[in-house]
Amino acid sequence: MKRKALAIIMILCMVFTLCSCGGEKDQQDTITIKVAHWFAESHPQHASFLLFEKLVEENSNGTMQVEVYPNSQLGSEDSYLDSCKQGTVQICASGTMCAKYEQQVYASETPFLVTNWDIAKEVFRGETIDILFDEEWQQASGLYMKEATVNGFRQFSSNIPMYSVDDFKGQRIRVPNVPNYVKMVEALGASPIAMSLTELFTALETKSVDGQENPYPTDVTSSFYEVQKYILESNHMFSPIFWHINAKFYDGLTDEQKAIIDDALDQAAENNWQESEKYNEDSKQVLLDKGVEITVPDEEFKAALVEKMQPVYDWFIQEFGGKTEEFYNAVWALEK
């Protein structure tokens, strides 16, 4: 009886061990993809990444799991870009902060270069953007830029209404600490004040700056309408959001896994473009409902703004080289 009991115990132990090993193998075979971005959960960027999550998990039969971290939960943009380069984050969203790896990428946010939503989509969903994200950028960053999506067209807000270029003179306008923004505001005759977005509301409230520039959705989510009553619908710059994937992680996938990720990113990016234009208009209406006065510049005012940018274009080409000029020429060709 003792031998029989011992045999049963040994069999049960073997079964338990085999089950445990099988469970570990299943766990090891599941690929986890961490996605980092800074947008709020109400923003189309987050909704599009949730669509990416759904598509990947469904089409991989659960062998790939996606974890989306909004609201800078995995650190600031600068921080999680480095995490993505290192591979602790697999996918991330960035603006032109990613130009820290190759500065030619700054050209993607050139003032008054992209003039409307149709051209923006053609530039950033087509091959034109690949001019800036070349092999040198990939090698320097350790990333592949897979999709270019939407932050939106940027508008100037101010403590005063602006009806001509002369109204920029003497104003202190907050900008991101990015050279093209600084050069743009200087060219308009204003004083650029570089500071983080997290400091901006207080700076506007205390009038340490006179104005700022951001897309309508950011004006709404940051409640700038509480401290700025005038907006110039300048559409002075289209801000893209780039989706990057760690190159080593991607290269280590099977062709089937790559196809699943690529297809999901493509569908999610297309969703982002479709939703973002409507979100922009909805945000504009929210601002109007909050009592913000929005001025749409006439053709003469627009032409004057664009004319002020010629030194900025020249500076860009001189500073960042031939790829910038090639990119400009490709965009201008689409504009014709």
Side-chain angles (χ1 to χ4, degrees):
M1 289 293 293
K2 287 183 180 180
R3 288 181 180 177
K4 194 171 184 179
L6 182 61
I8 291 171
I9 291 170
M10 290 178 66
I11 290 169
L12 289 172
C13 287
M14 289 175 65
V15 170
F16 176 77
T17 301
L18 287 170
C19 290
S20 298
C21 290
E24 287 176 6
K25 185 176 186 302
D26 290 342
Q27 190 174 13
Q28 289 170 355
D29 287 346
T30 300
I31 296 171
T32 299
I33 302 170
K34 292 183 179 180
V35 178
H37 68 81
W38 78 78
F39 292 92
E41 291 172 74
S42 59
H43 197 279
Q45 282 284 327
H46 184 64
S48 297
F49 276 127
L50 293 182
L51 175 60
F52 169 73
E53 175 184 346
K54 177 176 179 289
L55 291 169
V56 167
E57 293 184 353
E58 286 180 354
N59 294 328
S60 69
N61 294 318
T63 59
M64 289 192 283
Q65 299 290 319
V66 177
E67 299 174 356
V68 182
Y69 295 89
N71 289 315
S72 299
Q73 290 177 10
L74 297 185
S76 66
E77 178 187 0
D78 189 34
S79 176
Y80 67 61
L81 262 169
D82 287 339
S83 296
C84 199
K85 179 179 182 178
Q86 294 158 7
T88 52
V89 170
Q90 286 69 46
I91 292 176
C92 72
S94 84
T96 50
M97 178 70 73
C98 62
K100 67 180 183 175
Y101 303 123
E102 281 291 331
Q103 290 193 322
Q104 65 203 25
V105 173
Y106 282 130
S108 63
E109 280 190 316
T110 297
F112 299 103
L113 179 67
V114 175
T115 57
N116 59 60
W117 283 92
D118 290 338
I119 293 296
K121 189 172 184 181
E122 197 166 354
V123 169
F124 292 104
R125 286 287 276 156
E127 296 178 358
T128 306
I129 191 59
D130 295 335
I131 295 170
L132 302 179
F133 288 94
D134 58 4
E135 191 171 331
E136 288 182 7
W137 184 87
Q138 292 174 6
Q139 290 175 352
S141 66
L143 306 171
Y144 295 132
M145 195 285 286
K146 301 295 287 183
E147 298 288 345
T149 58
V150 180
N151 191 6
F153 279 98
R154 304 177 80 93
Q155 325 294 348
F156 285 104
S157 74
S158 177
N159 292 327
I160 62 170
M162 291 187 285
Y163 303 115
S164 73
V165 174
D166 289 340
D167 292 326
F168 281 92
K169 291 180 180 178
Q171 290 205 63
R172 297 160 299 170
I173 297 179
R174 176 269 174 184
V175 293
N177 191 19
V178 177
N180 39 318
Y181 288 86
V182 172
K183 292 291 181 181
M184 173 186 67
V185 169
E186 287 177 343
L188 292 171
S191 299
I193 308 296
M195 68 172 63
S196 69
L197 188 64
T198 55
E199 300 175 279
L200 180 52
F201 184 94
T202 300
L204 291 169
E205 188 176 36
T206 58
K207 295 184 172 25
S208 58
V209 297
D210 303 306
Q212 59 90 38
E213 52 80 56
N214 264 300
Y216 283 137
T218 303
D219 291 338
V220 171
T221 57
S222 300
S223 301
F224 293 150
Y225 53 82
E226 295 181 4
V227 286
Q228 294 267 271
K229 292 303 178 186
Y230 301 100
I231 289 179
L232 174 67
E233 190 172 275
S234 49
N235 285 330
H236 58 271
M237 187 186 293
F238 181 84
S239 285
I241 296 296
F242 303 113
W243 292 357
H244 311 288
I245 189 167
N246 176 271
K248 287 183 179 179
F249 166 76
Y250 185 78
D251 291 342
L253 299 173
T254 66
D255 289 344
E256 182 182 1
Q257 290 167 335
K258 289 177 183 177
I260 289 171
I261 288 175
D262 288 346
D263 182 64
L265 285 171
D266 179 69
Q267 289 190 55
E270 182 62 27
N271 169 267
N272 183 259
W273 279 90
Q274 291 174 4
E275 295 300 319
S276 292
E277 188 170 358
K278 181 179 183 301
Y279 188 64
N280 183 78
E281 291 304 309
D282 290 346
S283 298
K284 178 180 177 179
Q285 188 58 53
V286 169
L287 292 167
L288 289 169
D289 293 342
K290 294 290 185 180
V292 175
E293 181 180 310
I294 297 177
T295 300
V296 178
D298 60 21
E299 292 304 316
E300 183 180 356
F301 190 1
K302 286 180 185 177
L305 290 168
V306 173
E307 186 179 357
K308 288 285 187 181
M309 292 303 109
Q310 190 57 54
V312 181
Y313 299 150
D314 295 341
W315 174 83
F316 256 99
I317 293 169
Q318 184 177 357
E319 189 76 10
F320 302 131
K323 289 289 182 181
T324 297
E325 189 169 13
E326 183 183 351
F327 177 70
Y328 289 170
N329 288 332
V331 176
W332 286 328
L334 294 172
E335 297 272 9
K336 291 179 180 178

